[in-house]
Amino acid sequence: MLQPRLLPYARALVGVTEAEDVLSDSWLQIARDLHKFRGDGAGFHGWCNRIVRNRALDHIRWRKRRPESIDDVSEMGERPAPDDTSEQALSTIGTERAMALVAQLPRQQAEAVMLLAVVGLDAKRAAGILGKRVGAVRTAAHRGIRKLSCLVTETAHP
């Protein structure tokens, strides 16, 4: 049940081509550290998202040390307006196109959008995963959704 929600998050962090590798590493760590987890279902969901994020950040650092790497993850960003633009955008365009648009946002905004709109976490849990204040996560998500709204409009009316 978590895999369908974790994969888009991993894709937003490291790109489509490397997301499954990051997710595989994440599942290995989840299985290895499961005995350490204490909490409920929602807490488990947040714990898994934090592991995916940490594995993705490790992967990004590793990739930066490899000069032959051509993928650039710095294209990630923010979130659109409060009038549920995320649902409207995702229903209007395909998932792959939506992920490509999210990848154009600054990284903090993209992570906030992915955790709140795609993964479905609340702002408090997302803030815990990102190591940010709740207000900062909400602001990043709002800015990202607003930017996504502009990107959707630009692609619809070139």
Side-chain angles (χ1 to χ4, degrees), residues 71-132:
D71 292 339
D72 183 45
V73 183
S74 64
E75 307 167 353
M76 303 175 77
E78 295 180 39
R79 176 179 177 170
D83 59 359
D84 212 8
T85 308
S86 60
E87 278 189 21
Q88 189 178 20
L90 289 174
S91 66
T92 304
I93 57 178
T95 303
E96 291 299 319
R97 181 70 184 131
M99 293 299 109
L101 290 172
V102 169
Q104 294 179 37
L105 299 173
R107 188 169 124 206
Q108 290 181 353
Q109 294 174 5
E111 286 186 293
V113 168
M114 292 301 298
L115 288 173
L116 296 176
V118 178
V119 176
L121 297 179
D122 60 29
K124 183 177 179 182
R125 291 202 189 276
I129 290 167
L130 298 173
K132 306 251 181 233

Side-chain angles (χ1 to χ4, degrees), residues 2 16 32 43-44 51 55 58 67 70 78-79 97 103 123 142 155:
L2 282 175
V16 174
R32 210 174 28 243
F44 182 72
I51 289 172
R55 292 293 62 78
D58 288 346
I70 58 172
E78 295 180 39
R79 176 179 177 170
R97 181 70 184 131
H142 174 75
T155 59

